[in-house]
Amino acid sequence: MDLGINGKAAFVAASTGGLGLAIARALAAEGARVAITGRRRERAERIAAELPGAVAVGGDLGTPAGAAEAVDRAEEALGQPIDIAVLNGPGPKPGAAAALGVDEIASAFDLLVRPHHALVSRVLPGMRERRWGRVLAVGSSGVTAPLPNLAVSNTGRAALAGYLKTLAAEVALDAVTVNLLLPGRIATDRVAELDSAAAKRRGTTLDEVQLESRRTIPARRYGTPEEFGAAAAFLCSAPASYITGVALRCDGGLIRSL
Ligand SMILES: NC(=O)c1ccc[n+]([C@@H]2O[C@H](COP(=O)([O-])OP(=O)(O)OC[C@H]3O[C@@H](n4cnc5c(N)ncnc54)[C@H](OP(=O)(O)O)[C@@H]3O)[C@@H](O)[C@H]2O)c1
């Protein structure tokens, strides 16, 4: 299938590793010109050098100003406006809801809503004017079924989902789609770190933790970043033009509800 994004400009937030990098690679394979972003500038440059038409944009995207400035620099380096915006970033620290303080609850909004809102606000007017745009957010299966001990993540991601769902209906007439892609357990550095921390906490081995985790997934394995990237590329494609306002899980069947 031709995804119809050859020559489109894509801004992929936090794409020097993990899910962001997998999405950037999948979009580039379809001919999109990708801005690789992240704090590790040299790594962003190395990745961009491997992908045709890609550019590197270093910097911290964790604040509204940082996110909007990075889009400015990406458009300048690409020499064209952003058609595809992928919202992604680091996950918050684990913690129980009952233990959340005033600052921690506010951090859910600071980390998981405000930078993404700034990025969307920066690219949306151009997309609407040109009557073509794709906004895709990387969420978590916790949006559908809140995950134990991830209170900040569950709270902030639910808020982002509410904002994006509202937005999707407002911009559909301008041919801009707004969707979420929800990973279950995809084998990235972050998941490996979380599993190692769990092994330490429970006094067991990494293998044991991963075996136990795989047992909860009907597919009996973690997803690969490539599988996640392929789903993202489709949602950002031209043929996906009638799919908007959805939260699609990519989780090997982990979440049992419809
Ligand atoms: N993997 C999964 O199965 C899974 C499941 C549920 C939810 N998620 C969520 O999906 C998101 C991505 O996860 P991942 O597994 O890809 O994580 P990861 O492997 O840890 O990658 C995180 C990426 O974020 C970048 N980054 C971190 N802080 C940044 C900042 N302030 N500004 C710009 N870039 C920043 C990192 O690059 P630099 O170090 O270069 O900045 C890196 O490229 C996270 O929010 C995570 O919680 C993932």
Side-chain angles (χ1 to χ4, degrees):
M1 183 191 290
D2 178 5
L3 293 194
I5 52 173
N6 190 30
K8 296 278 188 202
F11 182 96
V12 184
S15 45
T16 49
L19 302 179
L21 176 55
I23 296 171
R25 284 191 172 134
L27 292 172
E30 295 299 323
R33 300 190 59 218
V34 183
I36 302 294
T37 68
R39 293 163 307 173
R40 290 168 290 172
R41 173 137 199 134
E42 274 178 26
R43 184 165 161 75
E45 274 165 8
R46 271 204 313 278
I47 295 165
E50 288 166 15
L51 303 175
V55 299
V57 176
D60 189 336
L61 275 68
T63 63
E69 276 165 25
V71 176
D72 289 344
R73 283 184 279 129
E75 289 192 340
E76 202 181 312
L78 288 165
Q80 66 188 100
I82 299 300
D83 304 298
I84 298 168
V86 178
L87 319 180
N88 180 41
K93 288 198 186 96
L100 277 185
V102 172
D103 292 343
E104 282 161 311
I105 194 84
S107 79
F109 212 75
D110 288 343
L111 188 72
L112 294 168
V113 181
R114 293 180 72 226
H116 299 323
H117 165 262
L119 207 164
V120 170
S121 302
R122 170 64 183 75
V123 297
L124 197 63
M127 288 179 177
R128 297 182 82 176
E129 209 177 292
R130 294 189 302 280
R131 301 188 63 77
W132 202 99
R134 299 285 181 267
V135 175
L136 178 69
V138 174
S140 161
S141 62
V143 169
T144 320
L147 294 156
N149 206 40
L150 280 175
V152 173
S153 173
N154 293 335
T155 304
R157 293 188 199 281
L160 181 70
Y163 159 63
L164 293 176
K165 178 69 182 169
T166 313
L167 182 68
E170 293 170 11
V171 300
L173 201 55
D174 299 322
V176 176
T177 69
V178 182
N179 293 298
L180 282 126
L181 185 58
L182 311 180
R185 289 184 80 76
I186 312 292
T188 64
D189 289 351
R190 172 172 163 84
V191 166
E193 276 166 28
L194 291 173
D195 284 347
S196 298
K200 216 170 164 181
R201 222 173 32 245
R202 295 185 217 155
T204 180
T205 63
L206 179 61
D207 277 357
E208 193 51 45
V209 166
Q210 290 182 336
L211 189 69
E212 208 176 292
S213 182
R214 284 199 298 269
R215 278 198 197 109
T216 64
I217 306 170
R220 293 290 183 268
R221 63 177 179 86
Y222 290 180
T224 66
E226 290 73 22
E227 287 171 313
F228 191 82
F234 178 70
L235 288 173
C236 293
S237 74
S241 48
Y242 202 57
I243 301 175
T244 195
V246 306
L248 176 71
R249 292 192 300 267
C250 182
D251 70 353
L254 174 68
I255 301 296
R256 305 302 172 110
S257 61
L258 280 173

